[in-house]
């Protein structure tokens, strides 16, 4: 709530979403800048949840970011993305990168429900369409100062890894959703 963003290029299609409207991103230079400080990475346990309609890779971009929090050195420190066709949730802290990669390869031009979780007790998990498809035992939150939060790209390297498709119902929680809650949200 009260997380307003500045839209750059992306447009809102009032009927194009899984639930009502969604933002469409061109994969070239569209994004939404939310704020200049952490939204979710500041919490020891948290969840990033969204629906995406992925257009696929354009052949040159193997990484397409859905949600990212970056630090002042233009390094992404937490993100949910598509990496060569598979969803990925990753955290960079203390100079080390921890990721949970889904074992599901996405097919272009379909809707998918994605959830990335950091649980300070249970580690990292990624879900696709309500099913847990990847885990990592890492439990520490990001310790760096966040200076940029975006939907549809990362600031890292001056701005790249643009998402191609629709992003809908992106919700951030300051707690880890349970498997039961994820299934309930998926089937709503």
């Amino acid at each position: 709530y009260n997380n307003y963003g500045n839209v750059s290029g992306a447009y809102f299609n009032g009927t194009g979403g899984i639930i009502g409207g969604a933002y469409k991103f061109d994969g070239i230079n569209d994004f939404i800048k939310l704020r200049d400080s952490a939204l979710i990475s500041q919490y020891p346990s948290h969840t990033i949840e969204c629906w995406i309609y992925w257009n696929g890779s354009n052949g040159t971009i193997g990484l397409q970011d859905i949600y990212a929090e970056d630090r002042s050195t233009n390094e992404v420190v937490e993100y949910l993305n598509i990496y060569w066709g598979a969803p990925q949730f990753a955290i960079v802290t203390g100079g080390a990168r921890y990721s949970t990669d889904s074992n599901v390869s996405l097919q272009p031009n379909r809707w998918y429900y994605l959830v990335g979780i950091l649980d300070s007790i249970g580690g990292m998990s990624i879900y696709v369409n309500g099913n847990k498809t990847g885990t990592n035992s890492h439990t520490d939150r990001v310790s760096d100062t966040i200076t940029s939060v975006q939907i549809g790209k990362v600031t890292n390297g001056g701005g790249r890894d643009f998402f191609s498709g629709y992003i809908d119902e992106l919700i951030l929680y300051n707690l880890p959703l349970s498997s039961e809650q994820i299934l309930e949200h998926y089937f709503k």
Side-chain angles (χ1 to χ4, degrees):
Y1 296 100
N2 295 320
N3 293 314
Y4 302 101
N6 295 320
V7 178
S8 180
Y11 75 90
F12 186 77
N13 179 334
T15 59
I18 194 78
I19 302 171
Y23 276 95
K24 173 131 177 65
F25 299 81
D26 67 6
I28 300 168
N29 59 3
D30 292 354
F31 67 97
I32 300 171
K33 182 171 176 32
L34 294 179
R35 62 189 293 177
D36 294 327
S37 61
L39 281 176
I40 200 69
S41 61
Q42 63 188 325
Y43 298 104
S45 294
H46 54 268
T47 302
I48 302 169
E49 169 188 67
C50 67
W51 282 90
I52 65 160
Y53 184 92
W54 181 58
N55 289 339
S57 175
N58 67 10
T60 60
I61 301 174
L63 184 64
Q64 293 184 27
D65 283 292
I66 299 163
Y67 176 85
E69 295 193 9
D70 304 325
R71 62 182 168 199
S72 61
T73 55
N74 281 335
E75 294 179 90
V76 63
V77 294
E78 182 160 345
Y79 50 94
L80 180 63
N81 64 35
I82 307 299
Y83 182 67
W84 292 110
Q88 178 185 72
F89 175 59
I91 292 174
V92 178
T93 186
R97 183 181 174 281
Y98 305 92
S99 71
T100 177
D101 301 322
S102 174
N103 60 16
V104 172
S105 293
L106 303 184
Q107 300 300 310
N109 305 314
R110 292 185 180 174
W111 281 103
Y112 291 94
Y113 171 67
L114 304 181
V115 179
I117 296 174
L118 174 64
D119 183 336
S120 63
I121 297 169
M124 298 170 66
S125 302
I126 191 159
Y127 289 75
V128 177
N129 292 343
N131 298 304
K132 186 184 287 187
T133 60
T135 61
N136 183 314
S137 61
H138 179 74
T139 58
D140 294 334
R141 71 176 181 83
V142 171
S143 58
D144 300 297
T145 300
I146 302 301
T147 59
S148 184
V149 179
Q150 280 113 191
I151 298 171
K153 80 156 190 160
V154 296
T155 300
N156 183 4
R160 64 171 201 252
D161 305 337
F162 293 94
F163 181 77
S164 179
Y166 288 92
I167 300 175
D168 194 13
E169 305 302 313
L170 190 139
I171 302 173
L172 308 173
Y173 300 91
N174 63 354
L175 52 85
L177 292 181
S178 69
S179 295
E180 294 79 15
Q181 290 170 312
I182 290 167
L183 276 175
E184 180 184 328
H185 293 189
Y186 174 61
F187 285 113
K188 262 188 174 179

